[in-house]
Amino acid sequence: MMKQTLKDILAVYMTRRGKKRDFSFEELETKHVQQHTKSFNDSSYFAGISKEGYAFVTRQSFRVDKPNENWMMISIPGEGVWGFENMDLPEKEGFVQGNLEYKCVEPGEIWDINYKGSLPRGKEQAEFLLDVTWKGIAPIVVFDKVGTTPLQVGKQIAREKWNLPYFRKLKELDQVHYEQAGTMSGTIEWKGKKHELEFIGVRDHSWGVRNWEDWDRHFWLLGLLEDGRFFNFSLISYSFVKNLQAAFIYNYDHYKTIYRIPNFDQLKFDSLMPKALSFAVQEDKHGPKKNLSVNMLNFFPFSMDGEYYLRQAEAEFEYDGVKGVGIAEMGINPNTYDIDISTTY
C-alpha cells in the first residue's frame, strides 16, 4: 500500500511539471520539426459540416523518419464519401503537401484551407476544389492547461509496472495538443459546379513523439451544441498505459476540465467499433451526471501505418438534453483485437 501511494505521489509530480509550459499563439500556430527525435510528428487537422449535408475532414502530418501523412475526404450529398489518404505529395514550406495547404492568416483566429485536384472513390476520380477560410468562435484550448489534470494522468501512470522501458514509452505522452471550434466559409467546386457554403468547424494541432503501433484503442468526440457550448470527451489506452482521459467543455466564456468520463471497462459498447454510443459525464466531483449520446453518420476510415485503424464520422450529439454536431473518432489496434475492419463503416 505504501509503495503504491508513493508511486501515485511521484507520478502526479512528474505530470504536473508538464503543466508549466506556456506558448504564444505564434509558437502554437507554427509547424514544429525535431529532426533528431525518433518518431517525431507534427499533425494539423480541420473538419467542417454544412447544413446542406456536405462534410469534410483534412489532415497533414509531418514526420521526421517516416513518410508524411495526409487526408482529404468529403461526403457529397447523394454521392457518398470521396477522398484520399497518404498520397505521395511533396512537402513544401509551412503546412503544405502538394496542392493541400493550410495557411495561418491570424494566429489563434484565422486560417485558409485550400486543395485543388482529383478525389478518388474506388476506381472513379472526380475533380474537386476546396477554398475556405476558418474563423475561431472560441479561444484555443491547450491540453497543458485544460482538459487533463495531473491527478487523473498521474494515477493512471502509477497503476502500471515501472521500469526503464516503461519510462521511455512515457515520452510519447509529452505532446503539445490544442483544439478550437470555429466556422468556415468559402467555395467547394465539385465536378465543375461551384457551391458557396458555410461550415461548423473543429480543428486541432499537436506535436511530439507518436508511434501508432503503441495505440491500443481510443475515442475522440468533439462537438458544438446548439446553445453555443463546445466540448471534447476523449479516452485513450496505449499498450503501456490505459484509460487516459482528456475532456473539457466551453461554457460560453470559459473552459472547464471535466471531472470524470467512464473508462473502457465501464462503457457498454454493442461492438468494438460502435456507430452509436451513450454514457454519463460528470463535470464536477460532486455534481450530477449528464448524459452524452452520439449517432455517427458518414464515415471516413484511415489506416495508420498499417498498425492502427482509425475511423472518423460526421456525428449528431445530444448532451444534457441539448443537440449538436461534430466529429466522432474511434480507433482500435487490429493486431490486438479480433475485428473485421470492413464491417465498421
Short mmCIF file of all heavy atoms in Angstrom, two decimals, residues 3 37 42 94 119 123 128 219 221 234 268 274 301 315 339:
data_model
loop_
_atom_site.label_atom_id
_atom_site.label_comp_id
_atom_site.label_asym_id
_atom_site.label_seq_id
_atom_site.Cartn_x
_atom_site.Cartn_y
_atom_site.Cartn_z
N LYS A 3 3.93 1.48 -1.04
CA LYS A 3 4.62 1.58 -2.31
C LYS A 3 3.73 2.21 -3.37
O LYS A 3 4.16 3.07 -4.14
CB LYS A 3 5.08 0.20 -2.76
CG LYS A 3 5.85 0.20 -4.07
CD LYS A 3 6.27 -1.20 -4.45
CE LYS A 3 7.01 -1.19 -5.79
NZ LYS A 3 7.40 -2.57 -6.21
N THR A 37 14.70 13.67 -33.17
CA THR A 37 13.82 12.96 -32.25
C THR A 37 13.09 11.86 -33.00
O THR A 37 12.29 12.14 -33.90
CB THR A 37 12.80 13.92 -31.61
OG1 THR A 37 13.49 14.96 -30.92
CG2 THR A 37 11.90 13.17 -30.64
N ASP A 42 4.31 16.23 -36.35
CA ASP A 42 3.53 17.46 -36.22
C ASP A 42 2.27 17.28 -37.05
O ASP A 42 2.32 17.09 -38.26
CB ASP A 42 4.33 18.66 -36.73
CG ASP A 42 3.56 19.97 -36.58
OD1 ASP A 42 2.52 20.13 -37.26
OD2 ASP A 42 4.00 20.84 -35.81
N GLY A 94 6.02 25.48 -44.63
CA GLY A 94 4.77 25.68 -43.92
C GLY A 94 3.93 24.41 -43.92
O GLY A 94 4.43 23.30 -44.07
N LEU A 119 -10.19 13.65 -56.58
CA LEU A 119 -10.50 12.81 -55.43
C LEU A 119 -10.97 11.46 -55.94
O LEU A 119 -11.82 11.39 -56.84
CB LEU A 119 -11.60 13.43 -54.56
CG LEU A 119 -11.29 14.70 -53.79
CD1 LEU A 119 -12.47 15.07 -52.90
CD2 LEU A 119 -10.03 14.57 -52.96
N LYS A 123 -12.42 3.03 -58.18
CA LYS A 123 -11.75 3.24 -59.46
C LYS A 123 -12.16 4.56 -60.11
O LYS A 123 -11.63 4.93 -61.15
CB LYS A 123 -12.05 2.08 -60.40
CG LYS A 123 -11.49 0.74 -59.93
CD LYS A 123 -11.80 -0.37 -60.92
CE LYS A 123 -11.23 -1.70 -60.44
NZ LYS A 123 -11.52 -2.80 -61.39
N PHE A 128 -12.01 18.25 -57.81
CA PHE A 128 -12.50 18.85 -56.57
C PHE A 128 -11.66 20.06 -56.22
O PHE A 128 -10.43 20.05 -56.38
CB PHE A 128 -12.43 17.82 -55.45
CG PHE A 128 -12.76 18.34 -54.08
CD1 PHE A 128 -14.05 18.71 -53.74
CD2 PHE A 128 -11.77 18.45 -53.11
CE1 PHE A 128 -14.35 19.18 -52.47
CE2 PHE A 128 -12.06 18.91 -51.84
CZ PHE A 128 -13.37 19.28 -51.51
N PHE A 219 -11.28 6.87 -28.26
CA PHE A 219 -12.30 7.67 -28.93
C PHE A 219 -12.03 9.14 -28.65
O PHE A 219 -11.40 9.51 -27.64
CB PHE A 219 -13.73 7.27 -28.55
CG PHE A 219 -14.12 7.49 -27.11
CD1 PHE A 219 -14.41 8.75 -26.62
CD2 PHE A 219 -14.24 6.41 -26.24
CE1 PHE A 219 -14.79 8.94 -25.30
CE2 PHE A 219 -14.62 6.59 -24.92
CZ PHE A 219 -14.89 7.86 -24.45
N LEU A 221 -14.33 12.66 -29.19
CA LEU A 221 -15.64 13.20 -29.51
C LEU A 221 -15.60 14.71 -29.35
O LEU A 221 -15.42 15.22 -28.24
CB LEU A 221 -16.71 12.60 -28.60
CG LEU A 221 -16.71 11.06 -28.49
CD1 LEU A 221 -17.73 10.61 -27.45
CD2 LEU A 221 -17.00 10.41 -29.85
N SER A 234 -12.75 12.57 -24.53
CA SER A 234 -11.80 11.65 -25.16
C SER A 234 -11.22 10.67 -24.16
O SER A 234 -11.05 11.00 -22.98
CB SER A 234 -10.64 12.43 -25.80
OG SER A 234 -11.11 13.31 -26.79
N LYS A 268 -20.40 0.42 -22.21
CA LYS A 268 -21.14 -0.71 -22.76
C LYS A 268 -21.36 -0.49 -24.26
O LYS A 268 -22.37 0.05 -24.70
CB LYS A 268 -22.48 -0.85 -22.03
CG LYS A 268 -22.33 -1.20 -20.55
CD LYS A 268 -23.68 -1.32 -19.85
CE LYS A 268 -23.49 -1.67 -18.39
NZ LYS A 268 -24.80 -1.78 -17.66
N PRO A 274 -18.53 0.79 -32.32
CA PRO A 274 -19.96 1.08 -32.49
C PRO A 274 -20.20 2.30 -33.37
O PRO A 274 -19.33 3.15 -33.56
CB PRO A 274 -20.42 1.34 -31.05
CG PRO A 274 -19.19 1.83 -30.35
CD PRO A 274 -18.06 1.06 -30.96
N PRO A 301 -12.73 6.36 -43.08
CA PRO A 301 -11.80 5.37 -42.48
C PRO A 301 -10.35 5.61 -42.91
O PRO A 301 -10.08 6.01 -44.04
CB PRO A 301 -12.32 4.04 -43.05
CG PRO A 301 -12.89 4.41 -44.39
CD PRO A 301 -13.41 5.81 -44.27
N ALA A 315 -21.04 13.48 -36.93
CA ALA A 315 -21.81 12.97 -35.81
C ALA A 315 -22.89 13.95 -35.36
O ALA A 315 -22.72 15.16 -35.40
CB ALA A 315 -20.89 12.66 -34.63
N ILE A 339 -11.18 -8.16 -35.05
CA ILE A 339 -12.15 -7.27 -35.65
C ILE A 339 -12.02 -7.28 -37.17
O ILE A 339 -10.91 -7.31 -37.71
CB ILE A 339 -11.99 -5.83 -35.11
CG1 ILE A 339 -13.09 -4.90 -35.68
CG2 ILE A 339 -10.60 -5.26 -35.38
CD1 ILE A 339 -13.13 -3.54 -35.03
#
